[in-house]
Amino acid sequence: GQSLEQPSEVTAVEGAIVQINCTYQTSGFYGLSWYQQHDGGAPTFLSYNGLDGLEETGRFSSFLSRSDSYGYLLLQELQMKDSASYFCALNTGFQKLVFGTGTRLLVSP
Amino acid sequence: KAGVTQTPRYLIKTRGQQVTLSCSPISGHRSVSWYQQTPGQGLQFLFEYFSETQRNKGNFPGRFSGRQFSNSRSEMNVSTLELGDSALYLCASSKTGTDYEQYFGPGTRLTVT
């Protein structure tokens, strides 16, 4: 089967940088996505890595290493509004996303 | 541009009943996927439809079914409801069915009593 592990919770202060790690086990996938979900809200797409390496989108960057079965999401210049849950997900074909366990990020002033 | 809409937003049902949830994708999107979100199991893929055809299915019992109409709107049905079916049901749409970005709706909160 496929599984993804993430830390359950990460805390940081405003203005800081935080990294959320994601390790996975799978027999095959197309890429690794990251989604943000605020309490009571819908998941929203943040980033996608189809190839190994770093992808940068504004304050967010994501990294993938297929050889290490590992990826991470890097959030810079943290803001209070970044407090949310973050999910990594394997894109496995025909729009099927296999989601990780989720990481709750708490940003304090 | 309107986002993905789901109706109803909240629903309370009794064990043994059946329920139908509706999802309208973003205009022009032809792929609709359904997910179940629970505190214990997280986000789990149910199925995906593209141009009225189910292309992919998750590991859920046959009580969970769905369909897609010619206008890309989708419905999912759960028969013989169980307490464990209480969850947030999310649908997501994408334009071509091969896009890596999916747009999620606000979800339907189903409570089974």
Side-chain angles (χ1 to χ4, degrees):
Chain A
Q2 295 160 316
S3 65
L4 301 92
E5 290 296 322
Q6 303 177 233
S8 59
E9 188 172 289
V10 172
T11 59
V13 297
E14 267 189 306
I17 299 172
V18 73
Q19 179 173 311
I20 298 174
N21 297 321
C22 172
T23 58
Y24 60 84
Q25 290 184 323
T26 182
S27 56
F29 70 109
Y30 290 95
L32 185 71
S33 294
W34 288 89
Y35 283 80
Q36 177 194 61
Q37 186 178 31
H38 287 96
D39 285 347
T44 56
F45 173 81
L46 291 176
S47 189
Y48 174 78
N49 293 79
L51 302 173
D52 280 8
L54 192 68
E55 291 288 337
E56 296 178 272
T57 310
R59 294 188 297 116
F60 297 164
S61 302
S62 59
F63 174 82
L64 174 63
S65 169
R66 289 175 183 262
S67 60
D68 296 320
S69 297
Y70 165 74
Y72 67 72
L73 179 70
L74 192 73
L75 298 86
Q76 302 182 70
E77 301 172 16
L78 279 173
Q79 302 174 10
M80 295 294 290
K81 68 178 182 179
D82 296 329
S83 292
S85 292
Y86 293 82
F87 296 89
C88 57
L90 294 172
N91 294 61
T92 62
F94 292 132
Q95 303 308 85
K96 179 179 179 179
L97 291 170
V98 179
F99 281 91
T101 51
T103 299
R104 192 169 184 85
L105 171 63
L106 301 173
V107 180
S108 57
Chain B
K1 193 174 184 181
V4 178
T5 59
Q6 293 186 245
T7 56
R9 293 293 312 278
Y10 302 91
L11 203 51
I12 300 175
K13 289 287 189 178
T14 305
R15 271 179 301 177
Q17 289 185 315
Q18 75 165 16
V19 67
T20 299
L21 312 181
S22 180
C23 172
S24 292
I26 292 172
S27 178
H29 285 198
R30 296 169 62 190
S31 168
V32 174
S33 301
W34 288 89
Y35 293 84
Q36 181 196 64
Q37 186 172 28
T38 61
Q41 299 298 316
L43 277 153
Q44 292 185 288
F45 174 81
L46 282 155
F47 29 65
E48 187 258 1
Y49 288 88
F50 182 81
S51 293
E52 302 179 66
T53 299
Q54 185 183 93
R55 298 192 304 174
N56 210 345
K57 191 176 190 303
N59 190 27
F60 279 81
R63 299 185 298 108
F64 292 82
S65 63
R67 60 177 175 169
Q68 187 181 34
F69 302 95
S70 58
N71 62 358
S72 295
R73 189 177 70 84
S74 177
E75 290 181 346
M76 68 163 282
N77 184 276
V78 188
S79 62
T80 320
L81 283 166
E82 301 177 358
L83 294 179
D85 297 333
S86 294
L88 179 68
Y89 290 89
L90 295 157
C91 80
S93 76
S94 65
K95 191 168 188 179
T96 66
T98 56
D99 304 357
Y100 53 78
E101 181 174 356
Q102 296 188 39
Y103 298 81
F104 282 81
T108 294
R109 173 74 62 185
L110 172 65
T111 302
V112 182
T113 63

